Amino acid sequence: YNRLRLESGRLGIVIDAADQHASLSAMVVSELFEEIFKLAGYIAKPSGSGLLTRQLIAQLGDLQGARVFKIPGVRRLLKQNGPTQAFSLKTATDEIKRQTTGDTNFGDFQEIYIEPRERGEQLTPHAVFEYLTAKGLFRIGYELTCPHCQMRSWTALDHVRQKIQCEMCGKDYDATRQLMNEKHHFRRSGVLGKDANNLGAIPVTLTLQQLETNLFGGVTEHVYSTSLDLTPNVQGAPAEVELDFVWMTAERFSSGLTEVILGECKDRGKDPTDPRGGDTITQADIDRIRKVADALPKNRFDVYILISKLAAFTPNELAAAKSLNSQYH
């Protein structure tokens, strides 16, 4: 506070006349967001789903690795095959290219680059699944039948031997003949293989990828955080809330304020034809995130709320989102 001077378009560092150099340490992004939300009366900590999403992005290499999740067949493949369910390569590629009612055709994604390939070569379902497996979202193994208990079990390729122990009955058996004739089977793995309900990380990751793609061209400075749990730290602050992500940019416009985007992301949700309705975003969700936006200092931040979903919004969801719009908001 007493070593920096605000100058036109920059910061000046005040040093002693005898000093020959000065050093500044960058703040960890998570600590930066903790300090920002303190200004709104919250203690901010990464949520369990936020840590999972962060690890998924690391597994993909970067946010642009999430482009593969644009393909509906990829999302279906992950959803329909739980962590303990094994399937063949043909099952995987057939699901990736299959078109269902309301989904886009795989042909619409053949120009996407998920990794380098020859000029003019189109993306194939096999290449997509190969990419997902190379990124550790699926593991290769064998489904073998134990001659003692007659039960089939999946064994990862890393652990396959000719003499193998059945994980069902615990007895050893010779798997040589089966291995010579059996084709590979795959299982969900990595951060998406730990639990059947970990797929909520996909809409968040894909939304962040879209933000980077569409905003990065005009903004060189941006940071983001995956899901945060916000707990009130002052009396009268808004109630506890979870944000799916927070994205912050340096100045893009002439206001001079820092832009903050608070995100709410949902999967496809329920079937809209279900009598109970297809809503996944409620008015309560909107009200909670708006309270956080309103609590951030208006003289420091331009706050936006971004709502995304991997399907069309329902009329009720649109009505809830419209309630965010008021005078000057």
Side-chain angles (χ1 to χ4, degrees), residues 3 8 11 38 53 65 71 94-95 97-98 102 121 132 146 156 161 189 200 218 253 264 269 281 286:
R3 296 287 186 227
S8 178
L11 289 174
K38 278 182 184 177
T53 304
I71 303 170
D94 284 350
E95 188 59 52
K97 69 182 178 182
R98 184 171 68 90
E121 183 181 349
L132 293 168
C146 172
R161 296 171 299 182
S189 65
F253 304 113
E264 176 76 11
I281 299 168
I286 298 296

Side-chain angles (χ1 to χ4, degrees), residues 292-313:
V292 178
D294 288 343
L296 285 164
K298 293 178 176 55
N299 64 331
R300 300 283 298 276
F301 302 104
D302 271 335
V303 186
Y304 297 85
I305 295 174
L306 187 152
I307 305 164
S308 70
K309 185 179 176 183
L310 299 183
F313 289 101

